[in-house]
Structures are given as C-alpha cells and as structure tokens.
Amino acid sequence: MTQKSRTTGSNTTTSKTGAESSATTFASLDPRSGDVIAEYPVADQAAVDEAVDRARIAARWWDAQGFRGRREWLLEFKKAVAQDAVALATLVSRETGKPYGDAFLEVMLAIEHLDWAAKNAKKVLRARKVPSGIASFNQAATLEYKALGVVGVIGPWNYPVYTPMGSISYALAAGNAIVFKPSELTPGVGKWLEEKWNSIAPTQPVLQVVTGLGETGSALTRAGVDKIAFTGSGPTARKVMAVCAESLTPLVAECGGKDAMIVAADADIDKAVDFAAFGAFGNAGQTCAGVERIYVVESVYQEFLDKLTAIVKRAEPGGSDESTYGPMTLPRQIDIVRSHIEDALASGGTAVVGGAESVGERIIEPVILTDVPETSRAVCEETFGPTVVVNKVRDLDEAVDRANGTSYGLGASVFIGNKAKGRELAERLRNGMVSVNSVLGFAGIPSLPFGGIGESGFGRIHGADGLREFSRPKSVTVERFSSPLRLMSLERPERDLNLSAKMLKFMHGR
Ligand code: NDP
C-alpha cells in the first residue's frame, strides 16, 4: 500500500506505516485516501521529560483540589467535550476512517465514563475507618487511596477517544496529572482533548499530550512517571514492561483479544446473528474485544450460519459515513489479515463469504470462515480485520473448552435462552469480561472494570477498580489507648506472652 511521506526532517526513523520518517515532525493521514491531514511534532526524550516536569507541578495543584474540586473541574471538562462532540467525532472519523456514526458512539461512551469517574471518585477513594480486629482492638485503623502523581498514558488508534479516556478519566479523578502519548495514527484526537482541557484550565497542564512515533512512547516510559497505562498490542506491552522494570514503574496493560461468542440451541438466533455481525465487522473488525470466533451448537449451526451470511453479504464497506465500516486504519494490518485467511483455508477451513481475494488495497470486504482448525492462526491469533470464524460444536461444554483455548482472555459473549445457564457459562470462561445476550455489553457500563488476563494484559480500567488502579492505598493506625498486653517490647513480660497464647488457642484453635 502506498502512503504519502509521513514525516519531515533529517534523521530518518521507522514509522508504523513503514513510510520514511524523521526526528522532527510526522503527518497524520486520512486512511481513506492516504492524504495528509496535519503535521505534528515528534516529541523526543527532552520534550517528554519537560512535559512530565510540568505535570508534576500541576499534579500538586490538582491533588490540592480534593475530591470535590476535581469533580467540579472534570464535570466542566465533560461539558466542554460534550458541547463539541460533533467536532471530536468528525476528527475521529477523519483520522481512523471509521464512519461518523461509529465515531460519535465512541465519543458518547467516553463521556459516560468521564462522568462516572468524576462523580464516584470520592465514594471509592476517600479515607474510611476499617475494623482493627480483636488483636489490635486498641488501634483506630484508617484506609485511604492517594493519587500516584503523574500517569503516562499510551494509547492505540482503533478507539482513540474511548480507549485512552478509559485510563485518563479514572486517573484524573483519582487525583493524578496525565501525560498522554496518542498513537501516531491519531495524534489530532489526542491534541484535541488536550486543547479542550486547556480551554477550561489554561494555566494548569493537568492533561498534556506528547505526539510522536513509538520512540515517543518509549521516552514516556523512561521519563520517571508514577505509572504507565498502556493500551496496545502484546508485543509492545512486553517492550514497555521491560523498560518499566528498570525503574519499578507500575504498569496497567490493556492488550488484544481473540474473543469468542457462544451460541446455544435455545438462543434467539436472529438477535445472536445481528450482534455477531456488529461485533465481528463493526469498525472493520478493529476492536480489541470484538467477536473473532463463534462456536455454535450443531442443532442451530446451519440456521445461524445462513442468517449471518445473509446479513454480512448486505454489508457495504467504504469511505463514506453511510458505509457499514471503513478502510483499515493501519495499513500494516492488511497483510496480517490476509495471512490469517490464507492459513485458515490452507489448513482445511472454508470461506462461505469472501476469501483471500476480499483483501483490497485499503478496504477488506467481509470474510466468514467455517470449519477452521483450532490450531490455525485465524483462531489462535488476534485478527484486526473484518473476518470471523464460525465453528460447529457438539455442545456448550465443547464451546467453553474451545473458547478458553487461546492464550488471550479479554472478553466473550454467550447467546442463550436460559439466563441462569448463561451466567454459569460466563463463570467458566477464562477471561475478564462476558456479555450474555449482547456483545460488548460490559464496555458501556462505567461501574464495571475493563481488562483481561493472559496475553490480553493485566490490571483494570473503569469502575471502582479502575479508580484504585491509579491510586495507592495508604494505611494509617492511631492508637486509641495503650494495649494491656506489652507484646511489641524488647522487655516483653512472660505473663503477656502466656496470656496471648491462651487467647490464640481460644480464638483460632477450636
Ligand atoms: P501498538 O502496540 O502498536 O501501539 C500502542 C501504542 O504504543 C501506540 O501509541 C504506539 O505508538 C506506542 N508504542 C509503540 N512502540 C512503543 C514503545 N517501544 N514504547 C512505548 N510505546 C510504544 O498497538 P496498536 O496501536 O496497533 O493498537 C492495536 C492493538 O491494541 C491491538 O492489539 C488491540 O487489541 C489493542 N487494543 C486493546 C484494547 C484494550 O482495551 N484491551 C483497546 C484497544 C486496542 P505508535 O502508534 O506511534 O507506534
């Protein structure tokens, strides 16, 4: 795929699109045409360090606002973003190539999360008394959650507002200042968010954005921040983690997925098909928690497949806002998607819609693959494109076994009439999130933590856990009165130890 030059300057480095790049500026491109949208500076280590220094000063002011003050600021920020949501969605659509409606949905969801984080931080993180237990009954125990300081956020391009804001909103609400490195494919969206913050608090750089290529992200991991919130691929997460290990910088890693959908015999098939099509092909399949594998029990397999085939054949990918989905945002993914289709077919799978020829220069037509061996790359590795594998299973036990068969563990969905059975299956799925009778149901509920296990990463954003992820617990005890037993003394009386031994037996030895 040909791309216009992305950068200007003298020292050449490699950009994500494989185009020539330099150390001074780079271009954001329209994935529909390859045209340059705007130029952005490449922030080097010095520029990133300066941003982190500024953030550290701003963090003191932000922390001093307290929960109530931050809530007011964040709700102001939310209002400013919501009032200008059309402009933000238009920019998202421009930089990612996704239809405007999809971009707007993403902005709406991000605003919901910002609202929840602003309104719930105090309840989740404020200081509270906790029980001190019988052995320490003379102590008053208090637990509170303190801000970490400066959080470095490294984001992907597929949901350039929703995904990083899932970290930024919760980290801000917990009292941290942010330095955000957006993907090199969506720098404009990052800058937009920074400018929106600056429009309400121009002298307090609590949310700063540094633009650049992978090296800028790497510089952020070396800049002495108090935590890194990384969203992206597993291979990059490993690099980030290796750098974080040098300074014991904590990390939350939200990585890719290979999410399965399970369809039971008593499922509402029309509904399952509708959600399957959206989950697999929406955003051109470039969704970390999108549907990639579908396991359908044999009694309803053919009906499901026929209906899914019919709906997918009506899809019209393209570059307009009316298109079902847009072009591939990251050109390099196109070859990976093609190789997964080819591998599935070479290993015995069948293409019932499309095939390797569906992979175009910018747009990939939808592909449905069936009877694909579980060892195929199309089943085991993340396919960031509009393809889905539909495999027949004997029963729900086999479906769960196969769903649990990859090294990923992000989300999953179950379509089933018996909701109690659906909950049971959800429990048995080895991952972070499950939706019963919908797809991605968990993503729009701010009080639910979001994240995965295994190759899908660790740690959580969203919800109370997301707020705590960007805080450090602080434990304080205040002695209410002197303990009648002097156990913590170099001159411990023997009588006190004997008494304690009797108490231990009475309390725990019965
Ligand atoms: P990458 O891993 O390529 O990049 C992610 C971010 O890391 C980008 O901002 C990138 O910058 C930056 N980066 C690249 N190299 C380094 C480095 N050495 N040190 C620090 N930062 C670096 O992922 P993609 O952008 O391609 O995103 C797609 C992936 O993200 C998919 O696997 C997807 O599943 C996952 N994802 C996970 C989500 C989740 O919540 N679990 C949500 C959304 C996506 P640059 O772009 O400039 O190279």
Side-chain angles (χ1 to χ4, degrees):
M1 171 166 204
T2 46
Q3 286 285 336
K4 294 191 177 165
S5 177
R6 303 202 65 217
T7 52
T8 56
S10 51
N11 303 329
T12 305
T13 56
T14 314
S15 91
K16 205 164 195 159
T17 57
E20 282 190 9
S21 62
S22 80
T24 53
T25 66
F26 71 105
S28 128
L29 305 177
D30 183 337
R32 297 176 177 93
S33 59
D35 291 344
V36 172
I37 300 172
E39 293 277 337
Y40 293 91
V42 172
D44 61 10
Q45 187 71 58
V48 172
D49 288 348
E50 280 167 26
V52 171
D53 287 347
R54 281 194 297 275
R56 208 160 282 294
I57 296 166
R60 281 187 226 127
W61 169 79
W62 188 234
D63 193 38
Q65 300 306 301
F67 289 114
R68 195 167 296 171
R70 286 196 293 274
R71 175 189 160 117
E72 296 310 314
W73 279 108
L74 289 175
L75 293 179
E76 266 308 296
F77 180 42
K78 177 197 79 169
K79 201 160 87 185
V81 175
Q83 281 172 354
D84 219 0
V86 170
L88 179 55
T90 304
L91 182 55
V92 170
S93 169
R94 192 104 203 272
E95 286 197 322
T96 61
K98 66 175 79 170
Y100 172 81
D102 287 358
F104 195 79
L105 188 65
E106 171 183 349
V107 171
M108 270 169 55
L109 278 179
I111 289 171
E112 288 296 324
H113 279 278
L114 179 55
D115 183 66
W116 193 92
K119 290 178 178 165
N120 287 277
K122 183 175 179 189
K123 194 167 83 190
V124 175
L125 304 175
R126 67 163 180 241
R128 78 216 43 216
K129 290 208 166 79
V130 293
S132 13
I134 293 179
S136 299
F137 69 102
N138 64 318
Q139 305 273 7
T142 312
L143 165 65
E144 75 177 298
Y145 291 88
K146 312 282 277 182
L148 299 170
V150 179
V151 173
V153 175
I154 299 175
W157 43 266
N158 55 344
Y159 292 91
V161 177
Y162 171 77
T163 295
M165 284 301 286
S167 296
I168 291 169
S169 301
Y170 292 83
L172 281 174
N176 304 283
I178 308 295
V179 178
F180 169 36
K181 149 69 177 86
S183 168
E184 67 190 64
L185 303 185
T186 52
V189 172
K191 273 300 191 195
W192 192 98
L193 292 168
E194 179 190 54
E195 280 159 20
K196 199 49 80 184
W197 172 263
N198 288 343
S199 73
I200 64 162
T203 58
Q204 297 297 345
V206 162
L207 171 56
Q208 293 178 80
V209 169
V210 287
T211 54
L213 312 183
E215 289 79 7
T216 303
S218 181
L220 185 54
T221 62
R222 292 174 204 280
V225 296
D226 299 291
K227 184 153 194 166
I228 290 284
F230 171 83
T231 310
S233 61
T236 310
R238 285 177 172 77
K239 288 187 204 163
V240 169
M241 197 168 174
V243 176
C244 286
E246 289 170 20
S247 54
L248 287 186
T249 302
L251 167 71
V252 49
E254 299 289 347
C255 305
K258 191 73 197 175
D259 290 7
M261 172 190 275
I262 293 175
V263 183
D266 64 344
D268 177 338
I269 299 297
D270 290 330
K271 186 175 175 177
V273 164
D274 197 32
F275 273 114
F278 174 77
F281 299 96
N283 200 25
Q286 303 168 117
T287 302
C288 56
V291 175
E292 300 218 5
R293 306 173 284 152
I294 307 180
Y295 297 110
V296 189
V297 294
E298 51 193 0
S299 58
V300 290
Y301 176 78
Q302 202 54 51
E303 180 191 355
F304 179 89
L305 187 60
D306 290 345
K307 287 182 169 170
L308 183 65
T309 301
I311 210 173
V312 167
K313 279 188 171 162
R314 293 199 293 272
E316 289 182 2
S320 84
D321 284 340
E322 284 68 47
S323 303
T324 313
Y325 60 79
M328 298 295 284
T329 310
L330 175 57
R332 157 177 105 195
Q333 288 285 345
I334 292 173
D335 289 338
I336 300 173
V337 174
R338 185 189 296 106
S339 70
H340 285 194
I341 298 169
E342 286 171 351
D343 190 59
L345 298 177
S347 54
T350 305
V352 293
V353 174
E357 69 284 359
S358 306
V359 180
E361 199 191 333
R362 292 183 195 282
I363 290 176
I364 302 181
E365 300 285 334
V367 178
I368 300 180
L369 300 160
T370 60
D371 301 321
V372 182
E374 297 291 308
T375 49
S376 160
R377 291 181 68 199
V379 176
C380 302
E381 296 175 23
E382 184 178 43
T383 318
F384 236 42
T387 71
V388 72
V389 170
V390 186
N391 277 349
K392 192 191 296 176
V393 287
R394 205 175 44 249
D395 54 25
L396 292 172
D397 288 338
E398 186 183 359
V400 170
D401 283 349
R402 291 210 199 183
N404 286 343
T406 73
S407 53
Y408 292 96
L410 192 56
S413 53
V414 177
F415 284 80
I416 192 161
N418 180 342
K419 288 184 188 152
K421 181 74 181 166
R423 281 183 188 279
E424 185 211 313
L425 296 178
E427 292 297 318
R428 288 167 56 195
L429 286 164
R430 187 194 144 275
N431 61 13
M433 305 162 297
V434 180
S435 293
V436 178
N437 291 337
S438 73
V439 297
L440 293 160
F442 42 76
I445 300 178
S447 51
L448 279 179
F450 187 103
I453 61 173
E455 192 64 27
S456 296
F458 51 83
R460 293 294 181 266
I461 56 172
H462 302 176
D465 291 276
L467 287 164
R468 290 191 199 104
E469 188 75 52
F470 297 108
S471 315
R472 63 187 159 88
K474 182 81 181 268
S475 304
V476 175
T477 62
V478 177
E479 191 185 64
R480 288 195 288 221
F481 53 87
S482 296
S483 169
L485 301 177
R486 279 176 63 220
L487 295 175
M488 293 166 82
S489 165
L490 291 183
E491 294 168 354
R492 181 185 303 123
E494 205 178 329
R495 183 195 70 96
D496 288 7
L497 192 61
N498 291 340
L499 203 56
S500 302
K502 283 187 187 139
M503 276 171 61
L504 181 79
K505 206 165 170 188
F506 177 74
M507 284 162 55
H508 299 294
R510 293 186 292 152

